[in-house]
Amino acid sequence: MKTKSIFSVSILAVVLMLGLSAFVPNNPNEKDKGEAWDIPEKFQTMKNPYADDVSLVKFGKTQYMKHCRSCHGNVGLGDGPKAKSLDTFPGLFNSKEFQAQSDGTIYYQSILGRNEMPNYESKIPDEEDRWALIMYLRTLK
């Protein structure tokens, strides 16, 4: 009788786990990607005024670790500890699609944000610091 009871409980547990897994994406990439960004022309054509100063990349990494890592993960794979609680996938910084965007587009997305992506204008008020972050994102290929 104990064997039959243990077997029944085990079967029930497996069925529940399979049922619940249908509601949780197995892969964070399966989350909603969100709507396409509407980037103003001003930002689409914006150039990084600090592009020649590669020394800023190191500082950009410190900005990333402070402000971005919790959602975007250590190397920009969208696997940070807060990513699981988001409705949309934070994105892959190493993707060809991301890296093909203009510097100004990445600036707009990273600094101005939208929806679950917060605005960082007050948290990163210095323009050089903002561009340092963008430069670091470019290294995550």
Side-chain angles (χ1 to χ4, degrees):
M1 191 68 156
K2 276 187 176 182
T3 305
K4 191 173 184 181
S5 176
I6 291 172
F7 180 74
S8 296
V9 170
S10 297
I11 294 295
L12 180 61
V14 169
V15 169
L16 281 172
M17 286 174 50
L18 289 173
L20 290 174
S21 69
F23 298 102
V24 178
N26 293 328
N27 180 342
N29 294 333
E30 294 174 9
K31 278 190 165 187
D32 180 13
K33 304 276 189 223
E35 65 207 45
W37 285 77
D38 184 19
I39 309 294
E41 178 68 26
K42 168 187 169 183
F43 289 94
Q44 291 179 32
T45 58
M46 184 184 282
K47 303 287 183 208
N48 179 351
Y50 304 97
D52 294 334
D53 190 353
V54 294
S55 70
L56 291 177
V57 173
K58 186 176 181 180
F59 183 71
K61 182 176 182 176
T62 64
Q63 293 287 79
Y64 179 86
M65 292 301 172
K66 178 179 180 181
H67 299 292
C68 312
R69 182 174 61 136
S70 62
C71 292
H72 294 284
N74 289 330
V75 293
L77 300 179
D79 59 352
K82 290 184 179 179
K84 292 177 184 175
S85 67
L86 299 175
D87 292 330
T88 54
F89 180 64
L92 295 170
F93 294 152
N94 68 348
S95 71
K96 290 179 183 178
E97 295 80 17
F98 178 83
Q99 293 292 332
Q101 298 178 105
S102 71
D103 285 343
T105 294
I106 295 172
Y107 178 101
Y108 182 87
Q109 294 168 334
S110 302
I111 305 304
L112 277 73
R114 68 156 195 208
N115 302 333
E116 290 183 300
M117 176 61 199
N119 180 294
Y120 280 91
E121 290 174 295
S122 63
K123 290 183 180 179
I124 309 174
D126 184 75
E127 197 69 14
E128 186 178 47
D129 295 352
R130 294 175 182 179
W131 284 110
L133 172 63
I134 306 313
M135 291 173 73
Y136 175 70
L137 295 177
R138 290 288 190 201
T139 70
L140 301 175
K141 296 178 182 177

